[in-house]
Amino acid sequence: MAIAARSRTGFYRQEVNRTVWEVPERYRDLKQVGTGAYGTVCSAWDRRSGTQVAIKKLHRPFQSKLFAKRAYRELRLLKHMKHENVIGLLDVFTAEILLDQLRDFYLVMPFMGTDLGKLMKMERLSEDRVQFLVYQMLKGLKYIHSAGIIHRDLKPGNLAINPDCELKVKHFETKIYGLDFFFSNWPNFYITSLLQILDFGLARQAVSEMTGYVVTRWYRAPEVILNWMHYTQTVDIWSAGCIMAEMLLGKPLFKGNDHLDQLREIMKITGTPTPDFVVKLQSQDARNYIRSLSKVPKKDLHFVFSKASSNAVCVLEKMLLLDPECRVSASEALELPFFSEFRDVEEETEALPYDQTLDNADLPLDQWKRHTFTEILTFRPPRDSRETSL
Ligand code: N58
């Protein structure tokens, strides 16, 4: 590859982890924060907005059709996401001016300081924090699902947290002398954590990464682990239930040593499936296997989560169901009494329709490149990231 002697006007070059990053001058102090087969992420200071950002450089995105399709899909998905509880795109750029020269492009998003996995390792969460975090997760899920998107890999590590984020709370209720006091037109701010759903997806998810005693599988719905049936958005609800359970217990709920051990762990709680669920399984082998298991009754979740409130247990009862058709949807879950304290229906928005036809298409490499280039050129930054601080 011939390295141009000069950088594109307004851009500068810097070496990160033995690769060259060529970025607009507004982004300063690049520091690597993560890397994997699919890309590298740096934190940076955005001089224009005066905020910390995360910049992802995909690893040779046009090396194959598969990589190109993945890169295109990520760009399209991030461009579409416009919700407080889902990662969004602040900027996308490439230092190359012509389509023929396009080799790399970079995705810029708000920098999130930590993730739920790390947060749970550091501290035990009180039930009102669990309430607020799960509320945010469900708002994000409702939005993603309304666009027809299934996350498929929801886990604590894919829930980014900004620990000290200033949030404006529209209806701030407080108890004064036992009375519920309601300040209706108060600009209330308080410091709390902002949760955003994302998909780090930096590493390849090979079969080996799903085998054995691994976090990558603990949050997966049973129908996904064992390939039982064509799956739906409710796989994310299963994962959300596992995550909420872990927040309350302080440890993962289903820590299987392998696929079948994981299923055994699950069934200790859910009980063995009922005959009307078994007939829905696509594979004869799966049906035979399930029928061969000795019957276990469903556990009352009040005993498993003995310190949790009834409202919290009620949410889990509706999420952790073996039959995906019986699980609550994100939008229905938001209506449950557990969330009523924090609820702001106006924030429970839905996405504009998302067209997935190209995402699933089989195209030659040069067409993926062309579509990606068009998506880069047509990007418009979100309103509130355009103001300048310089
Ligand atoms: O999150 C993504 N990509 C992404 C999101 C989604 C959903 C949630 C819309 C389904 N799909 N995909 C593919 N990319 C991404 C995530 C994290 C970083 C970079 C890119 S790294 C980072 C971001 C923010 N703060 C710190 C680090």
Side-chain angles (χ1 to χ4, degrees):
M1 180 182 94
I3 305 255
R6 272 162 52 95
S7 211
R8 175 178 170 181
T9 314
F11 282 61
Y12 72 101
R13 288 205 195 98
Q14 180 180 340
E15 204 179 295
V16 177
N17 192 24
R18 296 192 304 279
T19 65
V20 177
W21 283 50
E22 192 165 4
V23 307
E25 276 162 4
R26 67 186 272 196
Y27 301 116
R28 295 278 156 188
D29 302 329
L30 271 65
K31 291 187 189 84
Q32 187 181 315
V33 291
T35 190
Y38 290 121
T40 300
V41 178
C42 279
S43 66
W45 177 252
D46 178 7
R47 286 202 301 175
R48 193 179 293 177
S49 64
T51 61
Q52 196 70 2
V53 293
I55 308 181
K56 176 173 175 175
K57 181 187 185 191
L58 292 128
H59 179 64
R60 296 174 54 214
F62 304 112
Q63 64 180 281
S64 69
K65 280 200 316 190
L66 211 70
F67 270 67
K69 181 174 175 163
R70 236 186 105 98
Y72 170 80
R73 184 169 179 274
E74 178 159 33
L75 171 56
R76 285 261 344 267
L77 272 171
L78 291 175
K79 266 182 83 171
H80 195 78
M81 298 293 115
K82 290 183 174 107
H83 189 278
E84 185 170 47
N85 302 114
V86 182
I87 191 161
L89 202 57
L90 292 176
D91 191 12
V92 52
F93 62 83
T94 172
E96 288 100 29
I97 295 163
L98 302 171
L99 171 61
D100 280 351
Q101 291 159 355
L102 179 65
R103 278 176 190 279
D104 291 304
F105 70 93
Y106 302 76
L107 302 163
V108 184
M109 50 229 114
F111 182 77
M112 301 290 285
T114 187
D115 65 65
L116 186 69
K118 290 182 186 135
L119 190 73
M120 287 194 294
K121 280 201 186 89
M122 303 275 291
E123 57 192 297
R124 192 65 184 271
L125 305 173
S126 64
E127 200 175 291
D128 51 341
R129 271 191 95 189
V130 175
Q131 251 172 29
F132 193 48
L133 290 168
V134 178
Y135 177 60
Q136 296 186 77
M137 168 168 71
L138 286 172
K139 269 194 295 167
L141 267 188
K142 174 181 168 175
Y143 180 87
I144 291 174
H145 289 170
S146 72
I149 297 160
I150 309 177
H151 190 296
R152 295 183 178 84
D153 195 22
L154 201 63
K155 55 188 176 190
N158 274 336
L159 296 173
I161 308 272
N162 232 356
D164 303 316
C165 184
E166 205 174 26
L167 277 191
K168 183 168 176 274
V169 175
K170 284 215 180 88
H171 308 292
F172 179 57
E173 282 174 76
T174 185
K175 285 196 166 63
I176 300 178
Y177 304 119
L179 291 170
D180 273 345
F181 225 78
F182 185 51
F183 300 94
S184 58
N185 46 17
W186 238 39
N188 295 297
F189 291 92
Y190 74 93
I191 309 289
T192 181
S193 350
L194 174 74
L195 176 147
Q196 285 193 334
I197 301 177
L198 45 68
D199 187 353
F200 269 92
L202 285 174
R204 225 173 257 126
Q205 291 220 329
V207 177
S208 61
E209 270 123 44
M210 282 294 154
T211 320
Y213 188 71
V214 286
V215 187
T216 39
R217 207 196 41 247
W218 295 341
Y219 307 90
R220 295 250 154 148
E223 68 271 22
V224 179
I225 303 173
L226 295 152
N227 214 351
W228 276 347
M229 48 179 66
H230 183 73
Y231 57 81
T232 66
Q233 294 176 338
T234 54
V235 298
D236 293 335
I237 297 295
W238 178 272
S239 311
C242 296
I243 295 167
M244 176 174 167
E246 184 167 340
M247 289 187 198
L248 293 166
L249 288 176
K251 59 176 200 282
L253 182 61
F254 304 125
K255 274 171 103 172
N257 293 309
D258 56 59
H259 288 45
L260 286 182
D261 185 47
Q262 175 104 24
L263 185 64
R264 274 190 292 273
E265 286 297 311
I266 291 172
M267 288 184 187
K268 277 187 203 163
I269 303 240
T270 61
T272 33
T274 54
D276 49 322
F277 173 61
V278 180
V279 295
K280 293 183 196 168
L281 301 180
Q282 267 161 13
S283 121
Q284 183 64 46
D285 285 348
R287 286 196 295 266
N288 291 342
Y289 175 72
I290 300 278
R291 285 183 184 128
S292 76
L293 299 171
S294 35
K295 303 283 167 289
V296 184
K298 179 194 168 308
K299 265 203 190 132
D300 181 344
L301 294 188
H302 282 100
F303 293 112
V304 184
F305 302 92
S306 54
K307 294 201 184 97
S309 68
S310 289
N311 281 344
V313 172
C314 165
V315 177
L316 293 168
E317 291 274 12
K318 291 183 186 323
M319 288 179 163
L320 295 173
L321 292 169
L322 267 192
D323 187 343
E325 287 176 11
C326 298
R327 283 176 215 149
V328 69
S329 68
S331 161
E332 288 159 357
L334 289 166
E335 314 246 346
L336 295 171
F338 187 58
F339 306 109
S340 55
E341 234 178 285
F342 290 106
R343 233 183 138 191
D344 183 347
V345 182
E346 275 170 40
E347 284 179 0
E348 297 169 8
T349 53
E350 298 201 340
L352 294 171
Y354 177 74
D355 184 0
Q356 303 197 37
T357 26
L358 257 191
D359 293 23
N360 301 321
D362 182 27
L363 300 177
L365 189 56
D366 65 320
Q367 288 214 34
W368 284 124
K369 217 169 161 173
R370 194 165 53 78
H371 286 299
T372 306
F373 199 52
T374 306
E375 290 295 334
I376 297 171
L377 296 179
T378 56
F379 174 78
R380 291 283 163 271
R383 280 205 152 274
D384 44 81
S385 75
R386 262 182 283 176
E387 77 261 24
T388 49
S389 66
L390 287 181

